[in-house]
Structure formats: C-alpha cells, structure tokens
Amino acid sequence: MIALGVDVGGTFTDLILADLAKGAVTIHKVPSTPANPAEGVIAGIQGICEIAGIVPEAITAVFHGTTVGTNAMLVHDGAITSMITNKGFRDVLHIGRHQRPQHYSIMQDLPWQNRPLIHRRFRKTVEGRLDAQGAELVPLDEEAVAQAARELGEAGVEAVLIGFLFSYVNPAHERRAAEIVREILPDVFVTTSADVSPQFREFERFTTAAMSAFIGPKVRRYISNLSGELAKLGITGELRVMTSSGGLATPEMIAERPASTLLSGLVAGVRGGEWVGQHAGIDKLVTLDIGGTSADIGIIRDGRLTESDARSAQIAGFPVMLPMIDIHTIGAGGGSIAYLDQGKAFRVGPQSAGAVPGPAAYRRGGTVPTVTDANVVLGRLVPERFLGGRMSLDAEASARVIGELAEKLGRTPEETAEGVLTVLNSNMANAIRSRTVQKGIDPREFTLSGFGGGGPLQAAETAAMLGMTSVLIPPHPGITSAVGLLTADLEYHALRTAFAVKGELEISRLQALYDDMEAELGAIFERDKVPADRVRMLRQADLRYVGQGYELKIDVPDGPLSEESLETVWRAFHDRHRAEYGHAFESSPIEIVTVKVRGLGLVDKLSEPPVYAVSGEPTQVGSGRCVFRVDGNLQAFETPHIERTTLPVDVKYSGPAILLQTDTTTVVPPGWIYWADRYGNVRMTRDN
C-alpha cells in the first residue's frame, strides 16, 4: 500500500509518500495556493510522484489535512447563512451567555455580536415547541417553515441552519423542518443543530451548528473539487480527511458535518508530534508547530493528546461543542511581520506576509520585515540551501527591510533582527505558559518538540525561556503534520444527553443509550466498508457534581454496565476532579450529563519510524557567521553548517550549529548539546 499524506499550510503544502510495506518514505514541499488550495495539492502530488519515481495511479490512499474551514472562520469569509428557530428565540445567537470572555473589560470583542455568523435579517422564527423531555407542546408550523425557506431563498442565502429548543432530546421538529427546506431550496446547504451537536446549552449548540453552516458550502466544494482533481490524476484510492478530534473521516462524512474539520490541519501536527514522542519514549511533550502564519501549541500528557473541554473550546472566539484536541494558536510564524504600532511599541505578528508576497527573502515582492528575514540577517538561515537548495533566499532584500526597521528603532540591523526573534519567542513562551503553568502543569517536566517550517529554528530559545532543558526535533519537522495524517484511524463520534444522577439512574437506560450509539456508528463504518473486526468502540461520559456548571470527560468500561463498573467511573471522576481543581467532594452526588461513544475504524498506517543507522563523522557543508544572545550580550560565532542526515546515532556535539535538511533548518544555540537518536530525531539538552 502506498499512502500519501498532504497538509496544506498558510505558506507551504507539505507531502509525505510512504510505501507501508517497504517502509520507504519520500517528502516534498510546494508553495501553497491560497486562492485555490487544491492547485497546490495537485502540484505537490505530481512533484512527489516524480521524485519517488512512481505514477499517481499507484497511490492507494490519500490522507488530507485542510485549513479551508479554519481560515473561513478566522477571516470571517463563509457562506451567507440563515437560521430557522423557535418563535421568541431569534436572538439566542446574539445574546450569548451572561459570562463574558474578559470579565472586567468594557472594550472586549464579542464576535457573536460584532461579526455574527448569521445576521438578524436572516434569522426566521416559527411556531413549534418541545418540552425538556422531548414531548411536543406545540406542533411544528410546517407552512411557516416553508414560507421562511422561500423568503430566505429570495434573499440569496447559501446555507440554512435549523435550530430548535430541546432537539438534543427529540430531533423530530428539526428533521421535519430540514426536509421542508431541502425540498424548497435543493441547492442550499441545510443542517440541523441536532445533527451537528446534540447537547444541551442552546447558545453553544446553535453557535456550533451555525459554524457548520457558515463553512459548509466552502468545505463541501473544496472536498468535491479535490476529489475530482485526484480522479483526473488517476488516483482512485480512498480520500480521508483529518478531523478536529484527531481522527480521519470520509468525504461523505465531511459533507454532512463540515464543522468537524475546523482544526483539521492544526490537529495533524499535534498528532504527528504524539507519534514521534511515543517512539522516542517521551510521554510528556509540548508540541510547537510553527508555520508561515501561526504557531500551534499542543500538550501531550501520559502519552495522550489533551482534549478541549466545554469551557475552553473555541474557534475565532466562537464557542464550539465538538470533540476537539486542545490546541492553542497564536499569530506567530515565519511570515509574521515586525513593526511599530501606533504607540511606537515594537511588535511581531499576528499580521503575516503569508505565502504571497511572503517575506522579502522569498523574491516575491515582499517589502516588510518578517521573522524569516530576521533569521537570514542573523545567519540562521543559509540562503543557498533553503528547501534543500531548491529555493534561494535573497539575503540583500532581508538586510534591506530589517535595516529600514532598525533605523526607526535606532538600533543596528543585528540588534533589530535578534529583537524580532526574542519578541516572537516570548509570545510563544507566554502562550505555552497559558496552557501549562496556568493549569497547574510545570513545563520544566516536559520536552518541547519543535516542528513545522519554523519550529526547529525557534525551539531551543523558546524552551530556554520556559526553563525547559529538553528539545526534540522530528526527522522531517517541516512535514510533521503530513506525517501525523498517516498515523490516524477513521474516527466518528456519537453522543446522547443523559442527565442521570448517581443513586437515581437507571442502568438499563444508560446501557440502551450506549447500545444505540454503537449501532449508529457501526452502520456508518459499514457504509465506509470497514470490516467489523477492525472497528473499536470506546465509551465515555461527561460528569459533574450536581449543581456544577461544567463537566469532565471520563472513560467508561465497555460491556454490560453494572453497579461495579459504574463505581470505577465515579472513582475516576473524583480523581480527575482532584487533578484538575486540586480538590474533590467525595460525598457529593455525581451527575452524568452526556454519554458518548468514540468509534475507531482501524486503517493501514505508519506503524513505526524507520530505524536511523548512521555512523562516522557528520558532513559539514560550510560555515557562516551566526549571531546569538549569550549572557545578555549579542555575540557572533563562526557556526558549522551540517547536513542533518549525516549525524551519527547517539554521538553528542556542542552548539552552536546549523543543521540543514530539505524541509527546514534546525538551530542549535551556544550552550546546547545535540545528537541524533535511533529514529533520526535530533535531541537537544542544555549544557549545564
């Protein structure tokens, strides 16, 4: 089986081609094409097939991570979206909740009010009402639904959300309304809140479903176009798309639930970091994936990806109630622009030069100073060896734009360039603190894994700011997200709202809910032609103490439920609560709010990294002047340029050094020791 992983980033599209039988791996990078991401994907596939010496028809499976949905939310460029809801609840999406994201700010940004996904003129209300148990109080006014659909069609909407109260208990009204709208508006994207997120909390449920509708047409078109272009290349193998939960889904499932791709490209990187760390024997890992526009931070504890909870899951400021890996993104990347703001403060990002025109060094017309230009000025990027020599950087252009900024600051170009990197690294260190220190986690106990095009350039200095002493750089850091795509399985989720309190719950009812969800997911896997012996069902539940506002996710044993098996759930909840908040209430009643099943369809994938067996002396291809800050002062070092793939296994060297490879450059500052391990990872520790 020949599997292809394709991750589309803001600046580059990364590809990895793996012959799973032979363990042979080929990597490739091409510039992204933001106007039509599929163009960059197809160009990359043609290029990597040429490098590997195969025809596209030989590819048996394509695993893809996309940022189409993410970018649509971040830049607020989605479909003209509308909503049909209960009479009297037209403004739920606008009002939100009494909690404010920033409790004491009177100038804070409330995205659901300042840039609504669905404008009020596109929100229609109809008669029809269910009670909290799902019983019908007022029949659905089907003619009013039809009239609303006709009015929305005349207004030119591209997507319709059906969102009614208590549909998480009984979706009958939503489903009937959706049928009516689809009959009247067959070319419009239609979804329901129960199909997207059948959970209580109407504001979050409606907002999550609104996001699905907002990005749905664009995601559906993109996946359809990509499938067509793959077919033109002769690729008949299966297309699988990474979802926000770290699993894969079929194009059919993505078309039904486009919101599941909101973190698609971002999650692939953390997934790749988890896989690399697992084989390196590291179960506490902070992943730092730096691309051209952003830096994505993930936490791996006890060898497992950390999942978002209902309190903190959000995209572009909008709350999300979907299974998601906990990823924190900031505007910090190789294309991040350095500038003086209106108050003359020195800033780096979040604005980015992107792929076009990109940094000045890229020779595409860039005229502003960026992080990449700063690295060129400091000698940390070797212009003639960028992308393995396939692209040459313009050092003079970098010097010019950094020099212009230096004049404004009254500093030397080198001081300015080093200041750009210090601000960038500080921004990332502060972001990591928000996911670790502020949650009671000591980052000094973790290893920092830097990847993406920019991660290996900044990892060591960022780690030093956090007091971390261990850094891991994967074998192919620039395409780690693409690697992550080849380590995942098909993954689908089902959930039901339970509201069952310990001591009062009916075990038979809980068992029926789990059985129903497992049957639902089993039917989907059967549709996807996954053999029954390759399907795994993992049970979970969201629990809280009665009266609490939010829940914690706990694993539930499989098989028939009993008092004994539930006792393990109660104990696990107390332990998790104590770990999360520092205390537990052993005598307080516990409530199961939501029951969940995570279904896995096992697919052929990368099982283990190739063993790296290199000995002898590393190949030095040159040296150059590199500037680092040591003991508070800038110092220049004549620094060796070393081919990373020639580093011998377990032989330690002292920095500084610049390690060159096709997909990125690794910077080893003074005071760090580095070596290659048996899987080709570069390991670094601080020389104390």
PDB file of all heavy atoms in Angstrom, residues 81 111 156 201 226 228 242 246 253 274 298 308 324 346 362 371 378 380 530 644 649 660-661 668:
ATOM      1  N   THR A  81     -25.390  32.879   5.575  1.00  0.00           N
ATOM      2  CA  THR A  81     -26.031  31.836   6.378  1.00  0.00           C
ATOM      3  C   THR A  81     -27.298  32.371   7.034  1.00  0.00           C
ATOM      4  O   THR A  81     -27.370  33.529   7.428  1.00  0.00           O
ATOM      5  CB  THR A  81     -25.049  31.330   7.456  1.00  0.00           C
ATOM      6  OG1 THR A  81     -23.817  30.963   6.825  1.00  0.00           O
ATOM      7  CG2 THR A  81     -25.601  30.120   8.180  1.00  0.00           C
ATOM      8  N   PRO A 111     -17.370  38.283  19.401  1.00  0.00           N
ATOM      9  CA  PRO A 111     -17.512  38.013  17.965  1.00  0.00           C
ATOM     10  C   PRO A 111     -18.939  37.706  17.533  1.00  0.00           C
ATOM     11  O   PRO A 111     -19.341  38.054  16.423  1.00  0.00           O
ATOM     12  CB  PRO A 111     -16.572  36.822  17.732  1.00  0.00           C
ATOM     13  CG  PRO A 111     -16.333  36.230  19.081  1.00  0.00           C
ATOM     14  CD  PRO A 111     -16.423  37.355  20.040  1.00  0.00           C
ATOM     15  N   GLY A 156     -31.225  35.175  -1.149  1.00  0.00           N
ATOM     16  CA  GLY A 156     -29.943  34.709  -1.676  1.00  0.00           C
ATOM     17  C   GLY A 156     -29.049  34.008  -0.682  1.00  0.00           C
ATOM     18  O   GLY A 156     -27.825  33.985  -0.860  1.00  0.00           O
ATOM     19  N   ARG A 201     -27.411  23.267  26.297  1.00  0.00           N
ATOM     20  CA  ARG A 201     -26.792  24.588  26.162  1.00  0.00           C
ATOM     21  C   ARG A 201     -27.076  25.115  24.764  1.00  0.00           C
ATOM     22  O   ARG A 201     -26.293  24.941  23.837  1.00  0.00           O
ATOM     23  CB  ARG A 201     -25.288  24.562  26.435  1.00  0.00           C
ATOM     24  CG  ARG A 201     -24.907  24.169  27.853  1.00  0.00           C
ATOM     25  CD  ARG A 201     -23.422  24.396  28.119  1.00  0.00           C
ATOM     26  NE  ARG A 201     -23.075  24.090  29.487  1.00  0.00           N
ATOM     27  CZ  ARG A 201     -22.445  22.972  29.867  1.00  0.00           C
ATOM     28  NH1 ARG A 201     -22.090  22.081  28.981  1.00  0.00           N
ATOM     29  NH2 ARG A 201     -22.177  22.760  31.141  1.00  0.00           N
ATOM     30  N   LEU A 226     -11.393  18.716  -4.924  1.00  0.00           N
ATOM     31  CA  LEU A 226     -10.169  17.946  -4.729  1.00  0.00           C
ATOM     32  C   LEU A 226     -10.370  16.502  -5.169  1.00  0.00           C
ATOM     33  O   LEU A 226      -9.499  15.918  -5.833  1.00  0.00           O
ATOM     34  CB  LEU A 226      -9.747  17.996  -3.257  1.00  0.00           C
ATOM     35  CG  LEU A 226      -8.487  17.201  -2.891  1.00  0.00           C
ATOM     36  CD1 LEU A 226      -7.287  17.697  -3.679  1.00  0.00           C
ATOM     37  CD2 LEU A 226      -8.220  17.290  -1.389  1.00  0.00           C
ATOM     38  N   GLY A 228     -12.362  15.451  -7.436  1.00  0.00           N
ATOM     39  CA  GLY A 228     -12.375  15.445  -8.896  1.00  0.00           C
ATOM     40  C   GLY A 228     -10.982  15.559  -9.480  1.00  0.00           C
ATOM     41  O   GLY A 228     -10.644  14.875 -10.456  1.00  0.00           O
ATOM     42  N   MET A 242      -8.591  14.655   7.853  1.00  0.00           N
ATOM     43  CA  MET A 242      -8.386  14.762   9.291  1.00  0.00           C
ATOM     44  C   MET A 242      -9.471  15.632   9.911  1.00  0.00           C
ATOM     45  O   MET A 242      -9.858  16.660   9.357  1.00  0.00           O
ATOM     46  CB  MET A 242      -7.012  15.359   9.580  1.00  0.00           C
ATOM     47  CG  MET A 242      -6.687  15.570  11.051  1.00  0.00           C
ATOM     48  SD  MET A 242      -6.519  14.028  11.987  1.00  0.00           S
ATOM     49  CE  MET A 242      -4.912  13.448  11.424  1.00  0.00           C
ATOM     50  N   GLY A 246      -8.739  14.457  15.866  1.00  0.00           N
ATOM     51  CA  GLY A 246      -7.515  13.708  15.642  1.00  0.00           C
ATOM     52  C   GLY A 246      -7.703  12.442  14.854  1.00  0.00           C
ATOM     53  O   GLY A 246      -6.753  11.692  14.653  1.00  0.00           O
ATOM     54  N   MET A 253     -18.768  11.897   5.043  1.00  0.00           N
ATOM     55  CA  MET A 253     -18.991  12.360   6.407  1.00  0.00           C
ATOM     56  C   MET A 253     -18.646  13.838   6.549  1.00  0.00           C
ATOM     57  O   MET A 253     -19.351  14.594   7.240  1.00  0.00           O
ATOM     58  CB  MET A 253     -18.154  11.527   7.379  1.00  0.00           C
ATOM     59  CG  MET A 253     -18.363  11.898   8.842  1.00  0.00           C
ATOM     60  SD  MET A 253     -20.066  11.701   9.403  1.00  0.00           S
ATOM     61  CE  MET A 253     -20.178   9.908   9.506  1.00  0.00           C
ATOM     62  N   GLU A 274       2.738  13.568  18.739  1.00  0.00           N
ATOM     63  CA  GLU A 274       2.437  12.486  19.674  1.00  0.00           C
ATOM     64  C   GLU A 274       3.097  11.183  19.215  1.00  0.00           C
ATOM     65  O   GLU A 274       3.695  10.447  20.010  1.00  0.00           O
ATOM     66  CB  GLU A 274       0.934  12.295  19.771  1.00  0.00           C
ATOM     67  CG  GLU A 274       0.513  11.096  20.622  1.00  0.00           C
ATOM     68  CD  GLU A 274      -0.906  10.632  20.333  1.00  0.00           C
ATOM     69  OE1 GLU A 274      -1.348  10.727  19.173  1.00  0.00           O
ATOM     70  OE2 GLU A 274      -1.566  10.157  21.271  1.00  0.00           O
ATOM     71  N   GLY A 298       0.303  22.292  21.385  1.00  0.00           N
ATOM     72  CA  GLY A 298      -0.457  21.170  21.921  1.00  0.00           C
ATOM     73  C   GLY A 298       0.264  20.572  23.118  1.00  0.00           C
ATOM     74  O   GLY A 298       1.484  20.703  23.255  1.00  0.00           O
ATOM     75  N   SER A 308      -9.978  19.279  24.382  1.00  0.00           N
ATOM     76  CA  SER A 308     -10.609  20.508  24.873  1.00  0.00           C
ATOM     77  C   SER A 308     -11.819  20.158  25.720  1.00  0.00           C
ATOM     78  O   SER A 308     -12.482  19.143  25.504  1.00  0.00           O
ATOM     79  CB  SER A 308     -11.049  21.380  23.699  1.00  0.00           C
ATOM     80  OG  SER A 308      -9.941  21.889  23.005  1.00  0.00           O
ATOM     81  N   MET A 324     -12.700  17.869  20.179  1.00  0.00           N
ATOM     82  CA  MET A 324     -11.565  18.605  19.644  1.00  0.00           C
ATOM     83  C   MET A 324     -10.326  18.362  20.483  1.00  0.00           C
ATOM     84  O   MET A 324     -10.405  18.309  21.702  1.00  0.00           O
ATOM     85  CB  MET A 324     -11.855  20.121  19.621  1.00  0.00           C
ATOM     86  CG  MET A 324     -12.946  20.551  18.665  1.00  0.00           C
ATOM     87  SD  MET A 324     -13.398  22.292  18.893  1.00  0.00           S
ATOM     88  CE  MET A 324     -11.812  23.093  18.698  1.00  0.00           C
ATOM     89  N   PHE A 346       7.156  47.987  19.880  1.00  0.00           N
ATOM     90  CA  PHE A 346       7.727  47.038  18.925  1.00  0.00           C
ATOM     91  C   PHE A 346       6.929  45.738  18.999  1.00  0.00           C
ATOM     92  O   PHE A 346       6.838  45.113  20.055  1.00  0.00           O
ATOM     93  CB  PHE A 346       9.197  46.810  19.270  1.00  0.00           C
ATOM     94  CG  PHE A 346       9.934  45.930  18.308  1.00  0.00           C
ATOM     95  CD1 PHE A 346       9.637  45.922  16.957  1.00  0.00           C
ATOM     96  CD2 PHE A 346      10.943  45.092  18.755  1.00  0.00           C
ATOM     97  CE1 PHE A 346      10.330  45.121  16.074  1.00  0.00           C
ATOM     98  CE2 PHE A 346      11.654  44.278  17.889  1.00  0.00           C
ATOM     99  CZ  PHE A 346      11.339  44.293  16.531  1.00  0.00           C
ATOM    100  N   TYR A 362      11.903  35.909   0.004  1.00  0.00           N
ATOM    101  CA  TYR A 362      11.333  34.933  -0.931  1.00  0.00           C
ATOM    102  C   TYR A 362      11.345  35.392  -2.386  1.00  0.00           C
ATOM    103  O   TYR A 362      10.936  34.653  -3.273  1.00  0.00           O
ATOM    104  CB  TYR A 362       9.886  34.603  -0.526  1.00  0.00           C
ATOM    105  CG  TYR A 362       9.764  33.650   0.639  1.00  0.00           C
ATOM    106  CD1 TYR A 362      10.877  33.240   1.356  1.00  0.00           C
ATOM    107  CD2 TYR A 362       8.518  33.158   1.019  1.00  0.00           C
ATOM    108  CE1 TYR A 362      10.763  32.368   2.419  1.00  0.00           C
ATOM    109  CE2 TYR A 362       8.393  32.282   2.084  1.00  0.00           C
ATOM    110  CZ  TYR A 362       9.506  31.897   2.782  1.00  0.00           C
ATOM    111  OH  TYR A 362       9.375  31.034   3.839  1.00  0.00           O
ATOM    112  N   VAL A 371       9.870  37.503  10.354  1.00  0.00           N
ATOM    113  CA  VAL A 371      10.709  36.603  11.162  1.00  0.00           C
ATOM    114  C   VAL A 371      11.727  35.886  10.274  1.00  0.00           C
ATOM    115  O   VAL A 371      12.897  35.728  10.648  1.00  0.00           O
ATOM    116  CB  VAL A 371       9.824  35.595  11.911  1.00  0.00           C
ATOM    117  CG1 VAL A 371      10.663  34.490  12.537  1.00  0.00           C
ATOM    118  CG2 VAL A 371       8.986  36.302  12.971  1.00  0.00           C
ATOM    119  N   LEU A 378      20.562  37.175  10.796  1.00  0.00           N
ATOM    120  CA  LEU A 378      21.379  36.624  11.884  1.00  0.00           C
ATOM    121  C   LEU A 378      22.195  35.414  11.460  1.00  0.00           C
ATOM    122  O   LEU A 378      22.932  34.844  12.274  1.00  0.00           O
ATOM    123  CB  LEU A 378      20.480  36.254  13.066  1.00  0.00           C
ATOM    124  CG  LEU A 378      19.776  37.424  13.763  1.00  0.00           C
ATOM    125  CD1 LEU A 378      18.831  36.913  14.843  1.00  0.00           C
ATOM    126  CD2 LEU A 378      20.791  38.400  14.359  1.00  0.00           C
ATOM    127  N   ARG A 380      21.037  32.475  10.522  1.00  0.00           N
ATOM    128  CA  ARG A 380      20.467  31.194  10.949  1.00  0.00           C
ATOM    129  C   ARG A 380      19.779  30.452   9.808  1.00  0.00           C
ATOM    130  O   ARG A 380      19.477  29.270   9.948  1.00  0.00           O
ATOM    131  CB  ARG A 380      19.490  31.429  12.104  1.00  0.00           C
ATOM    132  CG  ARG A 380      20.151  32.129  13.281  1.00  0.00           C
ATOM    133  CD  ARG A 380      19.237  32.273  14.469  1.00  0.00           C
ATOM    134  NE  ARG A 380      19.838  33.097  15.509  1.00  0.00           N
ATOM    135  CZ  ARG A 380      19.327  33.265  16.708  1.00  0.00           C
ATOM    136  NH1 ARG A 380      18.194  32.659  17.036  1.00  0.00           N
ATOM    137  NH2 ARG A 380      19.935  34.038  17.595  1.00  0.00           N
ATOM    138  N   VAL A 530     -15.654  -0.645   6.358  1.00  0.00           N
ATOM    139  CA  VAL A 530     -14.641  -1.035   7.331  1.00  0.00           C
ATOM    140  C   VAL A 530     -15.026  -2.396   7.897  1.00  0.00           C
ATOM    141  O   VAL A 530     -16.126  -2.556   8.437  1.00  0.00           O
ATOM    142  CB  VAL A 530     -14.538  -0.003   8.474  1.00  0.00           C
ATOM    143  CG1 VAL A 530     -13.489  -0.442   9.490  1.00  0.00           C
ATOM    144  CG2 VAL A 530     -14.210   1.379   7.925  1.00  0.00           C
ATOM    145  N   ARG A 644      22.009  17.427   8.278  1.00  0.00           N
ATOM    146  CA  ARG A 644      21.405  16.744   9.425  1.00  0.00           C
ATOM    147  C   ARG A 644      21.399  15.231   9.248  1.00  0.00           C
ATOM    148  O   ARG A 644      21.620  14.487  10.214  1.00  0.00           O
ATOM    149  CB  ARG A 644      19.972  17.241   9.632  1.00  0.00           C
ATOM    150  CG  ARG A 644      19.247  16.409  10.668  1.00  0.00           C
ATOM    151  CD  ARG A 644      17.859  16.862  10.956  1.00  0.00           C
ATOM    152  NE  ARG A 644      17.180  15.843  11.747  1.00  0.00           N
ATOM    153  CZ  ARG A 644      16.063  16.034  12.401  1.00  0.00           C
ATOM    154  NH1 ARG A 644      15.470  17.218  12.378  1.00  0.00           N
ATOM    155  NH2 ARG A 644      15.508  15.052  13.082  1.00  0.00           N
ATOM    156  N   VAL A 649      24.385   8.220  15.091  1.00  0.00           N
ATOM    157  CA  VAL A 649      23.471   7.920  16.191  1.00  0.00           C
ATOM    158  C   VAL A 649      24.193   8.001  17.536  1.00  0.00           C
ATOM    159  O   VAL A 649      25.275   7.440  17.706  1.00  0.00           O
ATOM    160  CB  VAL A 649      22.846   6.519  15.998  1.00  0.00           C
ATOM    161  CG1 VAL A 649      21.960   6.160  17.189  1.00  0.00           C
ATOM    162  CG2 VAL A 649      22.043   6.472  14.715  1.00  0.00           C
ATOM    163  N   LEU A 660      21.070  21.380   8.436  1.00  0.00           N
ATOM    164  CA  LEU A 660      20.350  21.604   7.181  1.00  0.00           C
ATOM    165  C   LEU A 660      19.657  20.347   6.699  1.00  0.00           C
ATOM    166  O   LEU A 660      20.197  19.247   6.785  1.00  0.00           O
ATOM    167  CB  LEU A 660      21.331  22.086   6.101  1.00  0.00           C
ATOM    168  CG  LEU A 660      22.154  23.342   6.438  1.00  0.00           C
ATOM    169  CD1 LEU A 660      23.183  23.593   5.356  1.00  0.00           C
ATOM    170  CD2 LEU A 660      21.245  24.540   6.614  1.00  0.00           C
ATOM    171  N   GLN A 661      18.457  20.511   6.196  1.00  0.00           N
ATOM    172  CA  GLN A 661      17.734  19.427   5.536  1.00  0.00           C
ATOM    173  C   GLN A 661      16.705  20.043   4.602  1.00  0.00           C
ATOM    174  O   GLN A 661      16.505  21.260   4.576  1.00  0.00           O
ATOM    175  CB  GLN A 661      17.073  18.494   6.553  1.00  0.00           C
ATOM    176  CG  GLN A 661      16.029  19.165   7.427  1.00  0.00           C
ATOM    177  CD  GLN A 661      15.527  18.237   8.518  1.00  0.00           C
ATOM    178  OE1 GLN A 661      15.860  18.419   9.684  1.00  0.00           O
ATOM    179  NE2 GLN A 661      14.730  17.247   8.157  1.00  0.00           N
ATOM    180  N   VAL A 668      20.857  25.143  16.640  1.00  0.00           N
ATOM    181  CA  VAL A 668      21.351  24.731  17.959  1.00  0.00           C
ATOM    182  C   VAL A 668      22.161  25.895  18.516  1.00  0.00           C
ATOM    183  O   VAL A 668      23.257  26.183  18.052  1.00  0.00           O
ATOM    184  CB  VAL A 668      22.239  23.474  17.873  1.00  0.00           C
ATOM    185  CG1 VAL A 668      22.657  23.034  19.268  1.00  0.00           C
ATOM    186  CG2 VAL A 668      21.547  22.356  17.128  1.00  0.00           C
TER     187      VAL A 668
END
